[in-house]
Amino acid sequence: MLLSIITAEDHQTRDQALAKLCESLEIDQLLQECDELDLFRRESSNLYHRVRAIFFLQAIYRFHLPEKLASQDTGSIPFNGYQKLLERHFEEAIDAFLLVQHNFGPSDAICSALASAYHQLAFQTLANQVRKSVRTVRGNQWMFRMGHPEDHPLRIRRELLEKEDHLFPILCERTPVRMDLTHSAWSDIFFLGMDFPRGAKVLNVSVDLAVQGSNQPPRPPVEAYLRMIDQPVLRLTSIDLKATTEIHSLGEVFDFAKDHLGLLKAAIIASGIIPPGIEGSGTSLKSLLAKIAGQGRGIELISSVNNIPKGSRLAVSTNLLAALISACMRATGQTHSLTGELTEKERQIVLARAILGEWIGGSGGGWQDSGGVWPGIKLIEGEIASEADPEFGISQGRLMPRHKVFNHQEIAPDARQALTDSLILVHGGMAQNVGPILEMVTEKYLLRSPDEWNGRQEALALLDQIIEALTQGDIRTLGKLTTQNFRGPLQTIIPWATNHFTETLIKRVSQAFGEDFWGFWMLGGMSGGGMGFIVDPQRKQEALTTIQSLMLKTKKELEHALPFAMDPVVYDFEINEHGTSGEFHRGSEATLPPAYYPLHLPNRLQGPRSKLSQTDQAELTQFAHACKINPAFHSSIESLFETILPTQSHLNSGNVSLKELLKKQGFDQLQHEQIRKNLKEGRIGLAQNRLAQNSIIRDVRETDVTNFIDRSPHPELVKIGENALRAGEVAVITLSAGAGSRWTQGAGVCKALHPFAQLNGKHRTFIETHLGKSRKSGREAGTLLPHLFTTSYLTHNPTKDFLETVDHYQYPGPLYLSPGRSVGLRMVPTERDLRFAWEEMPQQLLDEQQQKVRDSLREALIKWARQSGEAADYIDNLPLQCLHPVGHFFEFPNLILNGSLAKLLQERPQLKTLMLHNIDTLGANVDPALLGHHLKNKAGLTFEVITRRLEDRGGGLALVNGKPRLLEGLAMPREEDEFRLSYYNTMTTWIDLDEILALFQLTRADVFEGNLDQLTCAVRQVADLLPTYITLKEVKKRWGNGQENVFPVTQFEKLWSDLSSLSEIETQYVVVPRLRGQQLKDPAQLDAWLRDGSASHVASLCEWQ
Amino acid sequence: MKIKKAVITAAGLDQRHLPLQTLVTPSGETKSVMSLILDEIFSTEIESAAIIITPESQRDFIVAVDKHLDRVTFIEQEKPLGYGHAVLQSKAFVEKEPFLLMMSDHLYLSQSETPWLKSLLSVAEQTGCPVSAVQATHESKLPYYGAVAGKRINGKADLYEISAALEKPTPTLAEQELIVPGLRSGHYLCFFGMHILNDSVMKYLEKSFEESPDKLPLTPSINATAKSERFLACEIQGLRFNIGEPYGLLRAQLAMAFASDQRDEVMSSIIELISSTKS
């Protein structure tokens, strides 16, 4: 049945939704369909039929089968299949998983593995096709054939080789960026244009920019400069990133992540100067340069982005790449003219090369992103593949879209001016990864879910209306339509296109401007970064300042909850009617941007003047002259001195406050030095985290756990639980001291405060959701449930302030924060640990080019670790980013040490049970049956586990040398051991208060007394029983204009679940439903979380008021 | 139509002495390059030739043309304004008749039984169209030649109708504009240095020169002619030697020696040379 939908010719059949068709199918029927789909996708020669079949399989295994399977079937995932998955051998992985399914029947576990394998196979298939198409675009093909310098067919144009006053002339390319009025629901994804060309439409505008208040007129924000040099090297400089390098070998050109010059290298390659076909040929760069530029000559390429931060959603990096490629193509005669605008054909080839460059550099954008290359306002559309196209017979559409530039009759100058007069273009300051959103769009498009498919049609209809409004110069209507687009199709397809920051901002702008606020406009893939507010032109000036201050205010309120890379900015802008454009300067006119010179002159000034080459001398003279007469160079001398002699205060400022912070947080220097010593001597480290190799790890027996899945709760247990609740004997502890490293890729915000999703029509933070559950549980039991959030140096003040701002969400019960009492200082990792993590542990291989970039980055990071000093203090960042929490074991002891437990006991002397859980375990509530089970069995600790899925990595419930316990992934002696385990640790733990105090050899009286020495000693004794793990975490370092680098750092941890290994406390395990136990670790999980019923389940557990 | 006239360009700044270089022919005679070219031309029905030279170089060329002096006219190109400009100097000489155009720094060795020049003339005479000799050339040589796009003429394996001609295209442009079905990947039909041109080309040259008097290449006028009338390209199976490039003369000489009775002797000398020379 499902096959006929894929192969149908008519749209009506073809566009049916998978979910609807699967609803009525039984398990056996679904499995039958899967068999047919799998056979079909193996045999079909039609790429898009194949990909759609794979996405169908992925969706069935991810959503439809698990829903119908009896979820108590634990099942297992074969390790060899997992390994194949990591190695990107998807076909073999699928075969391994299918074999298990065939032999043992379907299970939740194997479904998760198959879903993951099909998901990755689908995207790999699409990526392969895009890559193939990029290579086969006419004008790109020759670059993959060229493998020897003697065959190099390009030559530098003569004009660039002729010096004047000892200086080579300079070629300058200035390029606007693009803002998309609508992308018709992300229809600029390559494969969408190729599969559904009639639905791939983008309206985008080329713009010049200036940051508001900079007193500069708008100008093309992206510039590339090229000139010849008298050395056989490639000299690359990024002025805005303050990075420069001289490349002497071919290998370095293809080493993208070594420095911040990957984009320039990609341009050199994609423009054909160093064609991709020559990679790995062993050729010398010198001979290659000699062939194209003449003996002894080299090329200098410089990029400059004028004050536009990363994440602007204006496709700055793609347009910069296009500018660099254009300059290189002009220099090598690949364009007709050295200066001025490009012809349409040349623009097309620049686009093809920019797509190629992005692929080479391991990144990727949409096909509209090079829009700045074209002038003014244009409609970019998918194009049906014709016989002459390499895509013909493979896909309906071409890789390369068609650009229709609107002339001034179609959109009159008045209309363009009206748009300029009403639009406030901003960067909200958030920097987020759009990648997962684009994957979601792809998947949803292929599954044709009705809401999303209708949304796509609606977005296409809106595009026509937006063009109509623009041609009429009716900006008020345009604002209405862009808002409708944002509220309607965009959020229907991807709810994550919006966020709490954006919503708050829209609300506040709307309140400030009422009827004069005409509309909101999301730029690019998601909101929070580049955005537009359309207002009555009469109020534009006022709006510029008001919106700036509203953004700053909102950012200030949310900066600990959401990842902001910078303060928000407002832009002045103008429509650029030229597109990319070249200039040629010689002699005294041939100067580079003022900021170039402080980067290069200090090196040249080091030696005696007599040793300077004639060219260097001429350049120095020219710079000196420019400083005298050119206003743009007035501050250059100052910058030059700043580069040569950086001021002392600037160097020291970070460290002073770090020292203060360490002191304040009770940092234990002695312990730190001991860890450093042990690390350096190899006594501790990633490899040493593991249990001894001769440890026997087995899956637990049925008798080791109590199964609570799909079992009607025993009335007796429910009653026990309800009684305890009613008597006020229970409290909840939510662990919220962490920064959610995976949630924001180390951005250092409080995960607890993250408004992660809309529940009941409003963005909810993790804290609000947990309080919502406690509110409901308390009400149902007729009691006020105490709720305590543990915090750390990083999260305490923001959490406290935030809760005050929201009036503690009007939580009726006792609500406490338990501040951390211990902190560690991060260290530079050892090379040994980095190599262990990256070379000895199984790794998810990336797509070929991305893997190359990652390998290069890792080599650079290993070099950084060696140069910075292995196990040295990590202090080269903001002070808060240098500290680390020391593991969630300490969260409970902290309650004892900081007096929170005493306070809680004062409030609830009858308190007997604590439910402790992670901030991201959203389904965990005070379930009376589970509570009753815990109480009835009189266990000290009752740990909740769930059946394992592929993504549940990092340990589980195991029989270790015959004893059941929770075993951390870090401690697994062998990687494959984890795959024998049926259950994954949720971290949710029911704690008998008196039992655990007994473990610490404390009584309630000791807790009340609060003798810190006694309490500290008690904590240390238990801590000593637990292993210390060394871990690598990723930490972001922000710099420049919204730029971010991610560094691996070493820290140590003691973990809560290791308490299960102690014989001093009685421990038991219960298997709970996945909806209760699953954790939200990564924003990329959110969409599936919403679709598989988890979100509505969580919402059903909460009461918000 | 009958081709009775030939034009040979020899006015390049670096070409002055090239036609004077001598080579030993397969038959063992020693001849200048120019004399060899004229031998080939006058072995057909062509009756007279004009040589375009730089000012004050006529004396050297009189020696070089040897026995063909009475059938040769020397025309001076006063300024080096491009290949097309050199051709334009012959306007009075050709008198609106179709003519053969050759370069004095190129030598050709035919690999088929019919000499290359006879093939080319025969095509022009049979079709009445201008014809350029072309050869499938690897893209790495594109910086040196003009190249054409065209469709193969049914039933003629070596004949194409030119749709566009570009001077020294980059491979980027060549791939977009000059792909010819049937050629190996990365190969384009590049000019072989011989053309049968007509008065239309002369007219376009004149027009272009009026518009842009600083530089006058030939290829744009061929392109313009091909857009307005049928212009053919004939694929030549032969060897071409550019004697102006390093070792070009040596290669031409070796090719001639290998085609002669002295082949074995020359080869053994080369082997001896290789074995006794330090690498």
Side-chain angles (χ1 to χ4, degrees):
Chain A
M1 176 183 75
L2 297 178
L3 277 189
S4 59
I5 293 165
I6 293 173
T7 53
E9 290 291 323
D10 65 301
H11 290 303
Q12 219 171 6
T13 315
R14 195 166 172 250
D15 296 341
Q16 286 185 87
L18 175 75
K20 206 156 189 272
L21 296 160
C22 288
E23 258 172 28
S24 56
L25 298 179
E26 296 300 324
I27 292 175
D28 286 348
Q29 289 170 304
L30 274 175
L31 287 171
Q32 174 72 25
E33 292 287 349
C34 285
D35 287 346
E36 284 172 19
L37 285 167
D38 190 70
L39 192 67
F40 174 78
R41 65 107 196 152
R42 286 170 198 263
E43 290 176 353
S44 171
S45 59
N46 181 307
L47 173 88
Y48 286 91
H49 286 173
R50 216 160 62 224
V51 173
R52 201 165 178 218
I54 300 172
F55 271 112
F56 275 22
L57 283 160
Q58 183 253 329
I60 294 171
Y61 281 114
R62 173 65 185 85
F63 299 107
H64 306 300
L65 262 173
E67 194 184 304
K68 296 178 192 234
L69 283 170
S71 40
Q72 61 265 40
D73 286 343
T74 50
S76 66
I77 298 165
F79 182 65
N80 67 332
Y82 173 70
Q83 262 184 324
K84 294 287 177 202
L85 207 55
L86 291 182
E87 291 159 6
R88 303 187 75 77
H89 296 150
F90 304 123
E91 296 284 0
E92 289 91 333
I94 289 168
D95 288 343
F97 298 147
L98 285 177
L99 184 68
V100 169
Q101 181 173 268
H102 180 260
N103 291 341
F104 303 102
S107 67
D108 194 58
I110 206 70
C111 281
S112 73
L114 279 163
S116 175
Y118 282 123
H119 179 87
Q120 293 186 61
L121 176 65
F123 282 104
Q124 184 67 55
T125 310
L126 289 171
N128 287 346
Q129 183 53 40
V130 170
R131 182 179 316 153
K132 201 171 153 193
S133 297
V134 172
R135 287 175 68 135
T136 52
V137 168
R138 285 200 173 153
N140 281 359
Q141 293 174 21
W142 69 268
M143 297 192 293
F144 291 89
R145 289 194 293 263
M146 211 219 86
H148 193 280
E150 283 306 311
D151 287 344
H152 206 310
L154 297 182
R155 300 289 180 272
I156 294 290
R157 283 174 84 128
R158 193 182 294 271
E159 299 95 314
L160 282 158
L161 300 172
E162 291 164 358
K163 283 187 183 177
E164 192 175 307
D165 300 334
H166 305 295
L167 290 167
F168 281 112
I170 290 174
L171 188 59
C172 168
E173 187 82 24
R174 296 184 205 277
T175 309
V177 289
R178 67 101 184 95
M179 58 179 189
D180 42 8
L181 272 155
T182 167
H183 45 58
S184 305
W186 303 270
S187 70
D188 59 323
I189 298 173
F190 288 109
F191 96 90
L192 204 144
M194 290 168 81
D195 186 44
F196 182 39
R198 69 188 165 85
K201 292 181 180 193
V202 175
L203 185 64
N204 94 19
V205 186
S206 294
V207 286
D208 295 342
L209 299 175
V211 171
Q212 223 253 327
S214 65
N215 293 325
Q216 299 286 327
R219 58 175 174 144
V222 162
E223 290 170 351
Y225 297 84
L226 185 146
R227 68 173 173 182
M228 306 312 295
I229 47 177
D230 281 325
Q231 281 172 276
V233 297
L234 286 170
R235 188 186 293 155
L236 308 179
T237 301
S238 164
I239 292 178
D240 45 299
L241 302 183
K242 295 188 172 51
T244 183
T245 190
E246 276 190 3
I247 293 181
H248 297 261
S249 72
L250 212 56
E252 290 172 76
V253 183
F254 292 91
D255 194 353
F256 297 103
K258 187 182 172 194
D259 44 37
H260 291 110
L261 298 159
L263 203 71
L264 284 87
K265 292 175 190 171
I268 290 277
I269 296 165
S271 65
I273 289 179
I274 309 287
I278 207 158
E279 185 183 7
S281 64
T283 302
S284 92
L285 179 64
K286 192 176 163 186
S287 60
L288 197 75
L289 289 170
K291 186 77 182 174
I292 60 171
Q295 206 66 41
R297 292 207 187 98
I299 298 170
E300 177 163 27
L301 186 65
I302 298 147
S303 71
S304 177
V305 176
N306 301 316
N307 224 4
I308 309 302
K310 223 179 156 182
S312 65
R313 306 280 172 243
L314 296 165
V316 171
S317 64
T318 310
N319 283 294
L320 177 58
L321 181 59
L324 290 161
I325 288 170
S326 303
C328 292
M329 284 179 62
R330 286 184 200 268
T332 48
Q334 296 178 81
T335 61
H336 178 70
S337 174
L338 200 55
T339 58
E341 296 178 21
L342 296 176
T343 65
E344 179 58 25
K345 263 204 162 151
E346 289 165 351
R347 288 179 187 133
Q348 284 283 338
I349 200 76
V350 169
L351 166 63
R353 297 277 173 90
I355 297 170
L356 172 66
E358 291 202 313
W359 166 60
I360 288 170
S363 62
W367 49 235
Q368 64 139 333
D369 287 347
S370 306
V373 171
W374 274 262
I377 305 174
K378 60 268 171 194
L379 177 65
I380 314 176
E381 296 175 282
E383 176 94 317
I384 305 273
S386 69
E387 225 167 309
D389 296 315
E391 296 88 353
F392 187 72
I394 296 168
S395 57
Q396 290 192 42
R398 292 191 332 193
L399 175 79
M400 300 287 290
R402 177 178 63 222
H403 290 67
K404 186 226 173 323
V405 179
F406 290 99
N407 62 32
H408 282 224
Q409 278 74 50
E410 291 161 322
I411 298 177
D414 285 355
R416 293 169 196 250
Q417 190 56 46
L419 177 67
T420 314
D421 291 344
S422 276
L423 175 65
I424 315 284
L425 192 62
V426 307
H427 186 319
M430 286 181 73
Q432 301 165 95
N433 180 12
V434 186
I437 284 193
L438 302 182
E439 284 203 357
M440 290 172 207
V441 170
T442 307
E443 192 184 323
K444 290 177 177 189
Y445 160 72
L446 283 164
L447 297 179
R448 301 286 197 278
S449 308
D451 289 349
E452 282 111 18
W453 183 241
N454 292 338
R456 184 158 294 287
Q457 308 307 318
E458 195 190 332
L460 284 168
L462 277 168
L463 177 129
D464 293 335
Q465 294 174 44
I466 288 171
I467 293 175
E468 178 62 22
L470 203 53
T471 51
Q472 299 296 324
D474 183 355
I475 306 302
R476 182 192 281 265
T477 302
L478 186 134
K480 205 173 123 195
L481 293 167
T482 54
T483 310
Q484 202 179 323
N485 193 26
F486 180 63
R487 290 276 174 239
L490 294 185
Q491 288 186 45
T492 303
I493 297 172
I494 302 292
W496 323 107
T498 189
N499 55 51
H500 187 50
F501 172 64
T502 306
E503 293 300 328
T504 309
L505 213 49
I506 294 172
K507 203 166 128 194
R508 288 177 177 174
V509 173
S510 181
Q511 278 164 357
F513 291 90
E515 287 293 301
D516 295 336
F517 172 40
W518 289 353
F520 174 78
W521 166 4
M522 181 186 93
L523 294 176
M526 65 202 300
S527 66
M531 299 180 282
F533 293 87
I534 301 168
V535 297
D536 186 325
Q538 305 287 334
R539 297 188 69 185
K540 176 163 178 184
Q541 282 312 312
E542 177 197 349
L544 286 170
T545 48
T546 307
I547 291 176
Q548 170 79 61
S549 61
L550 285 176
M551 285 196 299
L552 270 171
K553 177 177 180 249
T554 314
K555 184 236 171 187
K556 207 92 202 129
E557 289 166 9
L558 294 171
E559 64 188 344
H560 295 293
L562 292 167
F564 286 89
M566 49 171 258
D567 275 345
V569 287
V570 174
Y571 300 115
D572 289 330
F573 81 97
E574 274 172 11
I575 297 174
N576 180 307
E577 302 288 4
H578 304 285
T580 193
S581 183
E583 294 165 18
F584 184 68
H585 302 291
R586 35 169 78 256
S588 59
E589 300 291 309
T591 54
L592 292 163
Y596 167 87
Y597 296 96
L599 285 173
H600 283 274
L601 294 192
N603 277 343
R604 294 182 210 171
L605 290 170
Q606 275 174 358
R609 189 180 166 94
S610 59
K611 290 207 170 165
L612 284 176
S613 69
Q614 248 180 351
T615 309
D616 283 345
Q617 287 193 30
E619 185 153 34
L620 279 169
T621 309
Q622 186 195 37
F623 173 67
H625 184 64
C627 289
K628 278 184 214 153
I629 62 154
N630 187 341
F633 279 73
H634 280 172
S635 60
S636 298
I637 294 282
E638 206 178 302
S639 309
L640 186 63
F641 274 99
E642 178 65 25
T643 314
I644 300 170
L645 301 166
T647 53
Q648 210 59 24
S649 59
H650 172 70
L651 284 176
N652 285 344
S653 58
N655 292 350
V656 171
S657 55
L658 175 62
K659 279 179 195 161
E660 285 167 1
L661 200 66
L662 285 167
K663 203 173 157 192
K664 200 169 142 198
Q665 297 292 336
F667 172 65
D668 186 340
Q669 185 72 42
L670 275 177
Q671 184 191 32
H672 182 72
E673 291 306 330
Q674 187 60 44
I675 286 173
R676 191 200 318 277
K677 189 165 179 283
N678 289 342
L679 256 178
K680 279 182 145 177
E681 290 170 0
R683 276 199 287 275
I684 56 174
L686 290 188
Q688 287 71 27
N689 287 339
R690 297 178 156 196
L691 291 182
Q693 280 292 313
N694 58 1
S695 309
I696 301 166
I697 312 294
R698 295 272 182 272
D699 196 14
V700 288
R701 298 150 299 204
E702 219 171 290
T703 50
D704 293 322
V705 295
T706 307
N707 203 323
F708 265 76
I709 301 177
D710 279 353
R711 206 172 74 173
S712 307
H714 197 288
E716 185 202 344
L717 298 181
V718 176
K719 201 172 167 194
I720 296 171
E722 282 174 350
N723 287 342
L725 260 168
R726 199 171 303 119
E729 293 170 1
V730 187
V732 180
I733 301 172
T734 304
L735 304 184
S736 44
S741 303
R742 274 178 66 190
W743 193 256
T744 55
Q745 285 86 44
V749 298
C750 304
K751 187 171 176 182
L753 307 182
H754 193 277
F756 65 100
Q758 292 199 30
L759 294 171
N760 287 55
K762 239 183 96 182
H763 277 100
R764 309 285 177 181
T765 61
F766 284 93
I767 284 199
E768 184 180 9
T769 310
H770 291 305
L771 287 175
K773 287 180 296 178
S774 288
R775 182 185 284 114
K776 187 172 184 191
S777 296
R779 276 186 191 156
E780 281 172 358
T783 185
L784 296 177
L785 188 61
H787 202 128
L788 196 144
F789 291 89
T790 65
T791 61
S792 66
Y793 66 93
L794 193 64
T795 64
H796 186 77
N797 286 334
T799 309
K800 184 169 156 278
D801 295 345
F802 181 84
L803 281 172
E804 278 164 16
T805 314
V806 295
D807 194 19
H808 300 85
Y809 289 114
Q810 286 99 39
Y811 186 68
L815 174 56
Y816 302 116
L817 295 186
S818 160
R821 275 292 171 264
S822 36
V823 73
L825 177 58
R826 287 170 165 159
M827 293 183 197
V828 174
T830 62
E831 181 176 350
R832 187 182 59 243
D833 279 345
L834 289 176
R835 291 205 184 276
F836 181 82
W838 294 338
E839 292 168 12
E840 291 181 42
M841 297 291 284
Q843 294 284 308
Q844 173 68 72
L845 278 183
L846 302 178
D847 190 36
E848 186 189 350
Q849 204 59 31
Q850 289 171 333
Q851 183 64 32
K852 245 188 243 176
V853 175
R854 184 164 82 174
D855 289 344
S856 147
L857 175 66
R858 286 181 168 178
E859 272 312 309
L861 286 169
I862 287 173
K863 196 172 158 198
W864 162 76
R866 275 200 302 261
Q867 283 174 350
S868 309
E870 294 175 299
D873 292 342
Y874 175 75
I875 52 175
D876 186 23
N877 203 332
L878 293 175
L880 283 174
Q881 292 285 72
C882 300
L883 305 186
H884 72 89
V886 288
H888 41 49
F889 158 72
F890 289 98
E891 307 274 357
F892 181 79
N894 284 342
L895 298 180
I896 303 172
L897 295 171
N898 65 24
S900 299
L901 186 60
K903 212 176 339 168
L904 193 58
L905 284 170
Q906 230 153 18
E907 153 78 28
R908 290 290 163 98
Q910 70 273 38
L911 188 69
K912 279 187 182 157
T913 308
L914 301 169
M915 187 190 82
L916 175 145
H917 70 93
N918 246 343
I919 188 74
D920 46 28
T921 316
L922 285 165
N925 69 340
V926 185
D927 180 86
L930 284 163
L931 173 60
H933 174 74
H934 168 72
L935 291 171
K936 190 182 175 204
N937 290 353
K938 295 189 168 53
L941 298 169
T942 300
F943 287 99
E944 294 185 11
V945 296
I946 51 172
T947 54
R948 173 184 297 280
R949 280 187 180 172
L950 187 80
E951 61 268 28
D952 298 328
R953 302 292 325 287
L957 182 57
L959 277 181
V960 180
N961 298 328
K963 181 186 182 312
R965 60 165 286 199
L966 292 167
L967 187 60
E968 285 293 329
L970 294 163
M972 294 279 174
R974 293 157 296 268
E975 186 73 14
E976 58 267 37
D977 288 336
E978 191 172 352
F979 284 79
R980 297 200 193 100
L981 311 182
S982 298
Y983 303 108
Y984 178 67
N985 177 21
T986 71
M987 267 293 288
T988 306
T989 316
W990 298 89
I991 305 167
D992 184 306
L993 184 57
D994 295 302
E995 289 288 323
I996 199 163
L997 286 177
L999 174 70
F1000 284 85
Q1001 297 182 356
L1002 293 171
T1003 62
R1004 291 182 183 230
D1006 295 331
V1007 172
F1008 278 122
E1009 197 175 319
N1011 178 336
L1012 208 55
D1013 287 343
Q1014 184 203 2
L1015 299 178
T1016 308
C1017 181
V1019 169
R1020 197 171 289 150
Q1021 275 175 3
V1022 178
D1024 285 346
L1025 299 174
L1026 304 178
T1028 303
Y1029 297 111
I1030 294 298
T1031 60
L1032 286 180
K1033 293 274 176 187
E1034 290 191 330
V1035 59
K1036 268 185 187 169
K1037 183 183 174 188
R1038 296 199 176 110
W1039 58 283
N1041 222 342
Q1043 305 292 330
E1044 293 175 331
N1045 282 348
V1046 178
F1047 289 93
V1049 289
T1050 292
Q1051 55 191 54
F1052 73 93
E1053 291 178 352
K1054 284 186 185 283
L1055 300 179
W1056 172 254
S1057 52
D1058 280 326
L1059 286 175
S1060 66
S1061 67
L1062 303 181
S1063 54
E1064 289 84 350
I1065 188 160
E1066 189 69 31
T1067 304
Q1068 65 171 2
Y1069 306 93
V1070 289
V1071 185
V1072 298
R1074 171 158 283 275
L1075 288 177
R1076 176 180 171 84
Q1078 70 182 347
Q1079 300 172 344
L1080 267 184
K1081 294 276 184 205
D1082 193 322
Q1085 286 172 272
L1086 281 169
D1087 206 56
W1089 179 80
L1090 190 67
R1091 285 161 67 190
D1092 70 5
S1094 303
S1096 50
H1097 172 74
V1098 170
S1100 76
L1101 301 177
C1102 298
E1103 276 183 15
W1104 305 107
Q1105 284 182 344
Chain B
M1 72 178 177
K2 281 280 174 216
I3 316 296
K4 294 179 185 168
K5 290 180 178 172
V7 174
I8 306 165
T9 56
L13 288 177
D14 50 357
Q15 279 181 333
R16 184 168 174 154
H17 301 292
L18 293 176
L20 305 175
Q21 304 288 337
T22 56
L23 293 165
V24 180
T25 65
S27 58
E29 293 173 86
T30 303
K31 287 191 170 185
S32 72
V33 171
M34 182 54 87
S35 181
L36 283 168
I37 294 170
L38 289 170
D39 282 355
E40 188 79 33
I41 288 173
F42 292 132
S43 70
T44 66
E45 292 180 39
I46 291 175
E47 293 165 359
S48 60
I51 304 177
I52 315 298
I53 56 172
T54 51
E56 295 170 17
S57 61
Q58 189 172 335
R59 200 188 308 167
D60 294 337
F61 280 94
I62 288 174
V63 179
V65 299
D66 195 14
K67 62 181 181 187
H68 304 296
L69 186 59
D70 56 341
R71 298 168 81 176
V72 168
T73 304
F74 294 104
I75 301 171
E76 288 188 356
Q77 183 190 16
E78 287 188 2
K79 287 182 185 168
L81 297 177
Y83 189 44
H85 183 254
V87 176
L88 190 58
Q89 305 313 300
S90 67
K91 185 170 179 261
F93 169 76
V94 297
E95 294 177 305
K96 299 187 178 176
E97 289 177 36
F99 62 98
L100 166 72
L101 175 65
M102 289 185 65
M103 292 189 291
S104 65
D105 55 358
H106 277 53
L107 275 175
Y108 303 91
L109 210 59
S110 187
Q111 287 182 318
S112 61
E113 284 185 10
T114 316
W116 45 266
L117 187 51
K118 284 196 175 138
S119 309
L120 195 66
L121 289 167
S122 138
V123 170
E125 284 167 7
Q126 282 170 23
T127 60
C129 301
V131 189
S132 288
V134 293
Q135 193 169 48
T137 307
H138 187 255
E139 61 199 359
S140 58
K141 304 290 180 203
L142 286 174
Y144 307 110
Y145 304 114
V148 301
K151 267 193 198 158
R152 204 182 288 265
I153 294 174
N154 282 343
K156 303 275 184 188
D158 54 356
L159 266 193
Y160 301 84
E161 189 166 336
I162 297 177
S163 56
L166 295 173
E167 178 65 8
K168 295 175 185 165
T170 61
T172 307
L173 191 59
E175 224 164 62
Q176 293 175 289
E177 306 277 343
L178 302 178
I179 294 275
V180 176
L183 291 195
R184 283 171 59 199
S185 158
H187 284 69
Y188 298 94
L189 289 180
C190 287
F191 287 140
F192 200 51
M194 285 185 284
H195 309 266
I196 310 288
L197 302 180
N198 61 7
D199 191 44
S200 303
V201 179
M202 278 295 185
K203 281 181 181 157
Y204 280 115
L205 281 171
E206 265 186 312
K207 191 171 166 234
S208 303
F209 191 57
E210 277 167 24
E211 287 166 3
S212 169
D214 297 335
K215 193 84 183 162
L216 184 61
L218 174 65
T219 309
S221 292
I222 292 182
N223 184 50
T225 310
K227 302 274 182 211
S228 62
E229 61 186 82
R230 197 171 190 228
F231 201 128
L232 301 179
C234 179
E235 196 174 355
I236 300 286
Q237 302 299 327
L239 294 173
R240 161 176 46 182
F241 301 98
N242 180 349
I243 59 169
E245 67 181 22
Y247 305 111
L249 195 69
L250 176 67
R251 275 198 286 269
Q253 180 60 82
L254 285 173
M256 284 187 185
F258 289 157
S260 74
D261 299 344
Q262 308 298 309
R263 178 190 166 93
D264 293 348
E265 192 187 325
V266 173
M267 282 186 79
S268 60
S269 302
I270 290 171
I271 292 167
E272 200 181 328
L273 201 59
I274 292 169
S275 62
S276 63
T277 309
K278 281 183 187 172
S279 61

